[in-house]
Amino acid sequence: MPENVISLAARRRFALSGLALGAAALAPHGAKAQTPAGPAQASGPIVLHGVSPRLTVHALDTFHGTAATGLRIDFSVREGDGFKLLRTVTMNGNGRSDEPLLIGDSYRAGDYELLLHVDEYFARKQSRLPTPPFLSKLPVRIRVANAAERIHLPIQFGPWSYTYSRGS
Amino acid sequence: MTGITTHVLDITTGRPLVGLKVDLYDVATTPPTRLNSTRTNADGRTDAPMLPGAAARTGQFELQFHVGDHFKAADALSDVVPVRFAIADATQHYHVPMLCAPWFFSTYRGS
């Protein structure tokens, strides 16, 4: 049947494209980093299902379509009316912090702030934006209600918008 | 039109978020100065602009959306959602909507 021949060929093409994708996924991150302003394919799947309770962050630059590598984030905890800086982290090649923001004994219920230095980030990328830019120091305030549950916090931002949510 | 306006939508229902407390602060001062405090109307907007055109100026502002009071979800991701932004050109209109659910918040410069 001609249809079968065609579908077999199509299936083979599909299988080959799958192999090509697999090879790309296996390429070292260093090789990817050399490609300027490519889509966010360097952010390979990282499975967090089943890991111990922790707070993790993943920042993506929707303006350039990349992981927000180099983005600086001040991470603070609410104390009274203000926030106390716990530490400053810089997003790695995957747009994540090398270590969870909170894990183990440090992962406690409370109110936290992530202050994203998006002005500095886009200035370094030499993006043409108004002065001052619409978004400069971007505060994301979250609540850890139950320290027995892991929270993954994906943040997508551009110069004119941002979105954050509870991820997985 | 100039100044600052907002529009709050509940993405869990696809409807305007009615009666939500929204504040506007000037964050260039220390401490920040509250310029306006109001609630969203039946359309999820505020009856008057958050910053009226007559008061439009450049500066650093922050809208605060009191979503925790509204959603009353024990495991909500945020309580008060700040949106800090600059007006670089006071002759332009700054529409800053908030699309939200207890675990999802999105904002952008609209029109």
Side-chain angles (χ1 to χ4, degrees):
Chain A
M1 295 282 284
E3 288 87 352
N4 282 346
V5 173
I6 289 164
S7 83
L8 190 66
R11 220 176 295 151
R12 190 169 293 134
R13 274 199 304 279
F14 180 76
L16 282 171
S17 71
L19 278 176
L21 271 176
L26 286 171
H29 284 168
K32 289 271 179 191
Q34 287 163 11
T35 311
Q41 289 171 356
S43 310
I46 290 180
V47 177
L48 288 169
H49 178 72
V51 299
S52 64
R54 62 188 65 192
L55 173 64
T56 51
V57 63
H58 190 188
L60 291 163
D61 168 358
T62 59
F63 187 52
H64 297 94
T66 58
T69 304
L71 173 73
R72 207 155 53 92
I73 298 180
D74 296 332
F75 180 59
S76 306
V77 62
R78 181 180 279 284
E79 280 195 356
D81 288 340
F83 284 89
K84 186 184 88 173
L85 181 68
L86 294 177
R87 61 200 165 99
T88 297
V89 293
T90 301
M91 297 300 100
N92 63 22
N94 232 331
R96 302 167 195 259
S97 57
D98 285 335
E99 303 295 330
L101 294 176
L102 299 170
I103 187 168
D105 289 345
S106 72
Y107 186 53
R108 291 177 197 156
D111 289 322
Y112 297 90
E113 179 184 86
L114 289 82
L115 191 72
L116 282 60
H117 293 259
V118 299
D119 50 351
E120 176 190 285
Y121 175 85
F122 284 120
R124 203 172 50 246
K125 292 238 170 193
Q126 299 182 317
S127 312
R128 285 188 56 207
L129 298 171
T131 309
F134 182 63
L135 300 174
S136 296
K137 307 294 182 199
L138 191 168
V140 171
R141 294 196 182 143
I142 61 155
R143 172 167 290 171
V144 174
N146 179 2
E149 285 185 4
R150 176 172 59 80
I151 291 183
H152 180 60
L153 181 68
I155 305 172
Q156 295 108 44
F157 68 93
W160 304 97
S161 67
Y162 63 92
T163 296
Y164 69 94
S165 53
R166 182 162 184 184
S168 174
Chain B
M1 185 177 178
T2 57
I4 299 169
T5 56
T6 190
H7 191 189
V8 188
L9 295 158
D10 181 342
I11 65 162
T12 65
T13 61
R15 305 288 303 164
L17 210 157
V18 182
L20 184 82
K21 186 181 170 195
V22 185
D23 297 332
L24 176 71
Y25 285 87
D26 178 343
V27 290
T29 63
T30 310
T33 310
R34 192 165 75 179
L35 303 174
N36 194 359
S37 180
T38 186
R39 285 186 184 273
T40 55
N41 61 23
D43 192 33
R45 301 171 192 268
T46 56
D47 286 340
M50 291 305 294
L51 184 71
R57 58 185 170 84
T58 58
Q60 296 284 342
F61 299 91
E62 184 171 300
L63 284 165
Q64 290 188 359
F65 299 90
H66 293 252
V67 294
D69 292 344
H70 175 83
F71 286 118
K72 293 185 175 66
D75 57 347
L77 185 61
S78 295
D79 180 28
V80 177
V81 176
V83 176
R84 196 174 297 170
F85 61 95
I87 291 184
D89 180 355
T91 67
Q92 293 182 20
H93 172 207
Y94 284 71
H95 183 58
V96 184
M98 170 58 61
L99 313 183
C100 57
W103 312 276
F104 175 97
F105 303 92
S106 187
T107 188
Y108 53 93
R109 184 170 175 197
S111 72

